[in-house]
Amino acid sequence: MAILDVTVIPVGTSTPSVSQYVADIHKVLKRHEGKVKVQLTPMSTLIEGDLDDLFEVVKEMHELPFSKGLDRVCTNIRIDDRRDLKHTMERKIEAVETKIQ
């Protein structure tokens, strides 16, 4: 189980706002419910699942702005792939929170 942090940056939009692109990307992610777990954050999207599934989903996310007529898209990806134990977004947060108390 891997956790992927992804930011899709549409370049050359007609407005500084990209919230409609984010919303459209999350519609794509909804089609993959059950295969991947998704968490929207103010600056990126976290996706948890099998690494092959994550790459497939990220490719769809990256392609979406092109399908809307853009000619350039920059996508940033960070992957946390831990294989020595079950690794989830919640477990990572819990591990830190127990150390805060």
Side-chain angles (χ1 to χ4, degrees):
M1 185 78 66
I3 300 169
L4 188 142
D5 180 6
V6 59
T7 305
V8 177
I9 306 160
V11 179
T13 63
S14 61
T15 173
S17 175
V18 295
S19 62
Q20 186 60 58
Y21 290 96
V22 174
D24 291 342
I25 285 170
H26 275 263
K27 290 175 188 173
V28 168
L29 290 170
K30 285 218 179 271
R31 293 196 307 256
H32 294 280
E33 282 180 347
K35 187 191 291 190
V36 297
K37 184 174 182 179
V38 176
Q39 181 178 338
L40 175 64
T41 77
M43 298 294 293
S44 66
T45 299
L46 302 175
I47 312 170
E48 177 183 287
D50 176 78
L51 194 56
D52 289 333
D53 292 337
L54 295 177
F55 284 133
E56 177 185 320
V57 170
V58 166
K59 184 174 185 212
E60 282 187 57
M61 294 170 69
H62 177 78
E63 290 292 332
L64 186 111
F66 289 114
S67 73
K68 303 283 184 187
L70 290 184
D71 292 322
R72 186 175 184 187
V73 176
C74 298
T75 298
N76 296 326
I77 303 168
R78 290 187 308 157
I79 301 168
D80 185 353
D81 188 5
R82 184 168 179 178
R83 298 181 180 181
D84 61 331
L85 55 86
K86 185 174 176 175
H87 191 54
T88 65
M89 291 185 272
E90 292 85 6
R91 185 178 177 137
K92 287 184 72 162
I93 292 169
E94 288 170 7
V96 173
E97 286 177 342
T98 60
K99 292 171 177 69
I100 294 171
Q101 299 173 7

